[in-house]
Amino acid sequence: MSAGADADGARPADARREAAPEPFSVVERVRFGDLDAMGHLNNVEFLRFFETARIDYLATLVPDHSPTARSEFGWIFAECHIAYRTPAFFGDRLRTFIEPGELRRSSLRLDFRMVAESDGRLVSEGYGVLVGYDYAAGRAQPVPDALRARLERAGATAAPR
């Protein structure tokens, strides 16, 4: 009998669970132009790092979608919250993790955290809210069912509609 197996050779339910996949992430290096007068990553640049990771993440869910092409369904970035934890400096390689959060009728919350590759320190964490948008009509619209299903499989938590 193998370690952790029951008498009949079956593994306990907890042992059969697969490890959760690593969240999606992107690594970027802090450039000289990203710095503020104090020599650390300017708070405005956090939005750019987050944007890059967000767009790359969404491309994994909808590979044929282009963020610059207007289509029947698109996203508008409606809200952002960033908690700055520790400074980042020139040359730091920052890994930005993106995970889907709450999925509502016409919006999606994406949670993120930014970690320095060199020492694992948490640089920032927060979230952004995207709203489904019909560019032709100029108004919010529900997240299409096929995309909703992909987001739920990726870990988004569906809120009651």
Side-chain angles (χ1 to χ4, degrees), residues 104-117:
R104 295 176 134 336
R105 184 183 79 79
S106 60
S107 68
L108 169 65
R109 175 179 159 147
L110 291 177
D111 299 323
F112 71 90
R113 70 184 190 285
M114 187 182 292
V115 176
E117 290 270 280

Side-chain angles (χ1 to χ4, degrees), residues 33 36 50 53 59 65 72-73 109-110 120 127 131-132:
D36 63 14
F50 176 42
H65 175 72
E72 290 181 20
F73 180 83
R109 175 179 159 147
L110 291 177
Y127 63 87
V131 173

